[in-house]
Amino acid sequence: MFDFDMLGLAPELQRAVKEAGFTEPTPIQNQAIPPALEGRDVMGLAQTGTGKTLAFGLPLIDHLLAEPGKPDPKTAKALILAPTRELVNQIADSLRTLTNGTKLRVATVVGGQSINRQITFLARGTDILVATPGRLIDLMDRRAVSLAEVRHLVLDEADQMLDLGFIHALRRIAPHLGTPRQTMLFSATMPKQMEEISRTYLTDPLRIQVSPPGKAADKITQSVHFLPKADKPAKLREILSRDMDALTLVFSRTKHGAEKLMKGLVADGFNAASIHGNKSQGQRDRAIKAFREGTINVLVATDVAARGIDIPGVAYVINYDLPDVPDNYVHRIGRTARAGREGEAIAFCAPDESDLLRQIQKVMKMEVPVASGKSTLDDYSEASRPSRGSRGGPRRRGGGGGAGGQGKGGKPSFKSHEGGGQGAKRPRRRRRAA
């Protein structure tokens, strides 16, 4: 275990780390930063909320500070790819905290924003470019950016980046990158097929795994309510009413469902907003800002937020609908219990979602304790039921681990955002975009 002041970082970077209040590294930082500083390719696996952004951001910035000269027009020295707009913005905000007062420039390119403004900014060149693949390809097609000078590549949430939805974009981007280069992949889950594909992008990588893939953070208390679909709205309102001041993130499977649910909550007097793929980037940014600052305390979202929200004050995550992809459950509930805090994850399971829950439990290698209702899982064990006093919903919190008063303050944190699930009796679902 090292302290950050033992790494021999550039003086301005060491100063920024101290000002941000970081002294002891998390396990993923402890194992990934030293070899990354040496220039090794790194494949890092760690639970959500354990500091992966700092694990790749610190060595990346240190390398760039040591390089002479400014970036040429329309070029970048380092490229970070992430699957969602929210995650791109979150990463960039964290890196800007560390690069403040240095020569380095951080730029973002995401869909939903003015491409002409992004073209203008990139015309000056940038040291670090954080991007979603689709918008980056648009800019490449317009010859607004050249990646030939990129010597550092980071894929954040690498499992989703290398999933079929992004692999074609990566195959278009990769040939344009400079060589030789350092490549770092970080994720909370690592499916076997993704690991095989990742070998294309890394050279003699050091694999670092600080927790089993699919394992949720230890400080997350999980529970599930078995109930008919028609009873979900009432159960949600019951749970929300027990801790009205807590920051609560509610996940819906579809865009339409998220919007309808949010409007119903607002009509019933709850302070709620929503984010999903039908919202403009400005609307999504404003909703997350209000949630971070505590102006609203219930945020209804699709999986667009499963990997893109890093707000330490989130006390509860409610899976109103279970995700079609089991790994997404791990990412969803990882929005709570961040930065060492405690959190609670509550799931609703309707009869037609039983197979989804079964697959989630298989991925996590654990049974989710039952809070209410009768399980419809074939392999359900009575031993998984909590004691009588723990049924019926989330416990109220107090003290440092509670929800009250933790939703405010927008300081960036470095503690870091649909398919299968079919059973024999369950028809195939069509993939829905977040």
Side-chain angles (χ1 to χ4, degrees):
M1 179 71 70
F2 61 83
D3 292 331
F4 289 113
D5 57 8
M6 298 169 56
L7 293 174
L9 302 173
E12 57 266 53
L13 180 55
Q14 184 65 59
R15 185 166 51 251
V17 170
K18 289 184 177 179
E19 291 176 355
F22 297 102
T23 54
E24 281 194 11
T26 65
I28 186 63
Q29 294 165 2
N30 183 63
Q31 297 186 43
I33 290 177
L37 284 171
E38 295 173 359
R40 289 283 305 272
D41 282 7
V42 172
M43 179 188 296
L45 297 176
Q47 299 164 350
T48 57
T50 55
K52 293 190 290 291
T53 304
L54 191 62
F56 65 74
L58 194 60
L60 174 62
I61 293 171
D62 190 70
H63 284 307
L64 293 177
L65 287 173
E67 295 180 7
K70 295 181 179 180
D72 293 331
K74 297 185 178 182
T75 69
K77 293 184 177 182
L79 174 64
I80 301 173
L81 293 175
T84 67
R85 307 170 192 174
E86 284 73 24
L87 187 54
V88 164
N89 292 333
Q90 175 185 297
I91 292 169
D93 288 344
S94 298
L95 296 181
R96 288 184 181 118
T97 299
L98 288 181
T99 57
N100 187 32
T102 73
K103 65 177 183 177
L104 302 184
R105 303 176 68 214
V106 180
T108 61
V109 292
V110 298
Q113 295 182 349
S114 169
I115 194 169
N116 291 328
R117 186 177 302 171
Q118 293 170 356
I119 290 173
T120 300
F121 190 92
L122 290 175
R124 300 156 54 193
T126 188
D127 296 280
I128 303 174
L129 178 60
V130 192
T132 52
R135 176 50 62 91
L136 178 60
I137 290 175
D138 289 343
L139 291 164
M140 292 167 59
D141 289 343
R142 298 186 184 209
R143 298 186 179 181
V145 61
S146 169
L147 304 180
E149 300 301 317
V150 170
R151 292 294 185 270
H152 304 275
L153 172 66
V154 177
L155 302 181
D156 197 16
E157 300 296 355
D159 55 343
Q160 189 172 349
M161 293 303 304
L162 292 177
D163 199 356
L164 293 178
F166 289 96
I167 187 61
H168 299 298
L170 284 171
R171 286 172 177 161
R172 286 196 58 188
I173 293 169
H176 298 274
L177 300 172
T179 56
R181 64 176 178 270
Q182 179 186 36
T183 302
M184 294 182 279
L185 279 68
F186 285 84
S187 183
T189 56
M190 186 71 69
K192 290 183 179 179
Q193 63 271 26
M194 190 279 289
E195 184 174 3
E196 294 171 2
I197 297 174
S198 70
R199 292 173 187 154
T200 305
Y201 298 92
L202 286 83
T203 302
D204 188 26
L206 177 64
R207 178 182 172 122
I208 298 169
Q209 183 173 317
V210 298
S211 63
K215 186 177 184 297
D218 293 333
K219 293 189 176 182
I220 300 176
T221 301
Q222 300 182 57
S223 63
V224 59
H225 295 266
F226 289 93
L227 73 176
K229 184 176 180 179
D231 292 348
K232 286 186 177 184
K235 177 60 71 174
L236 176 63
R237 285 155 177 77
E238 174 192 329
I239 292 173
L240 292 176
S241 297
R242 292 174 180 172
D243 202 344
M244 294 290 288
D245 294 328
L247 290 187
T248 303
L249 184 57
V250 181
F251 280 102
S252 172
R253 186 178 297 116
T254 67
K255 296 176 284 189
H256 173 74
E259 190 68 10
K260 180 180 179 180
L261 183 57
M262 179 274 293
K263 290 180 178 178
L265 290 173
V266 171
D268 288 342
F270 292 94
N271 196 8
S274 66
I275 60 170
H276 49 73
N278 284 347
K279 296 280 188 178
S280 70
Q281 187 61 45
Q283 290 173 318
R284 288 156 68 164
D285 290 344
R286 287 190 293 273
I288 291 177
K289 183 175 184 292
F291 188 58
R292 184 186 299 276
E293 295 176 349
T295 306
I296 62 131
N297 63 300
V298 179
L299 185 63
V300 185
T302 58
D303 280 324
V304 72
R307 305 175 185 238
I309 291 183
D310 184 12
I311 300 175
V314 175
Y316 303 107
V317 170
I318 299 177
N319 281 280
Y320 187 84
D321 299 315
L322 293 179
D324 289 330
V325 178
D327 285 341
N328 282 354
Y329 175 86
V330 178
H331 290 288
R332 286 181 178 188
I333 68 174
R335 300 310 101 196
T336 188
R338 301 182 76 80
R341 293 175 170 86
E342 295 181 352
E344 192 148 355
I346 303 165
F348 294 170
C349 183
D352 65 348
E353 295 175 300
S354 295
D355 190 60
L356 297 179
L357 180 60
R358 184 181 294 107
Q359 293 190 42
I360 288 167
Q361 294 185 151
K362 182 178 180 181
V363 167
M364 295 195 302
K365 296 180 175 59
M366 64 165 285
E367 291 184 358
V368 179
V370 179
S372 69
K374 183 177 180 181
S375 171
T376 55
L377 301 183
D378 295 337
D379 58 352
Y380 170 65
S381 168
E382 288 292 330
S384 68
R385 286 187 183 272
S387 62
R388 182 182 300 274
S390 65
R391 295 189 187 183
R395 63 182 183 275
R396 298 186 66 85
R397 299 182 176 273
Q406 289 187 14
K408 300 186 179 182
K411 181 179 177 181
S413 169
F414 296 96
K415 304 250 178 182
S416 9
H417 225 268
E418 304 179 0
Q422 294 85 15
K425 297 181 181 180
R426 195 169 187 273
R428 179 178 296 274
R429 291 179 177 271
R430 179 173 296 177
R431 297 182 67 168
R432 298 180 184 268

